[in-house]
Amino acid sequence: SSSSSPSLLDRKEDAVLLSSQEDDGTNGSSGRSLSVTRPMMGVLVVALSAFVGMGAATAFLAMGITVQKRDATQQLNQHAQEVRNQIESAWKDYEVAGLWVQESSRRESITR
């Protein structure tokens, strides 16, 4: 065997065998086996990491959007309440001014 070609033992170390085999009662076995090499495992790890990262980013984005919507709704409600209070205050001032005008014109008509 030459030193440049990998031996059978080296090839077995470089492969992870994932198999589901069924024994049919004979000397052999029937079934399927899937061989995943180390470079493929690296790609799988990278793909899994990217998938988990995208999931985490999506979760943070969804959480941020939900919080932002809640804050926007709260600010809108607070602003609407302030506008409502200002309108009520202006209406009360208008009523008081109208009553003053009515009272002053009634007093003038009585004294004449």
Side-chain angles (χ1 to χ4, degrees), residues 2-100:
S2 69
S3 63
S4 65
S5 67
S7 69
L8 183 59
L9 183 60
D10 289 338
R11 283 188 218 147
K12 279 190 174 184
E13 288 176 355
D14 285 348
V16 175
L17 294 178
L18 304 172
S19 64
S20 62
Q21 296 177 344
E22 300 172 2
D23 193 1
D24 60 0
T26 62
N27 287 340
S29 64
S30 66
R32 296 173 291 180
S33 69
L34 175 65
S35 176
V36 180
T37 61
R38 281 188 183 175
M40 285 180 68
M41 278 300 261
V43 170
L44 288 174
V45 168
V46 168
L48 182 63
S49 297
F51 183 72
V52 169
M54 285 188 290
T58 302
F60 280 120
L61 182 64
M63 188 172 60
I65 289 171
T66 303
V67 169
Q68 184 61 33
K69 280 184 179 180
R70 190 177 335 131
D71 287 347
T73 301
Q74 189 177 21
Q75 285 180 348
L76 177 66
N77 289 339
Q78 183 179 2
H79 183 68
Q81 182 67 31
E82 290 172 2
V83 169
R84 180 178 166 255
N85 290 340
Q86 289 174 352
I87 290 172
E88 283 181 353
S89 176
W91 183 257
K92 286 179 184 177
D93 290 345
Y94 176 76
E95 284 182 331
V96 169
L99 289 173
W100 283 354

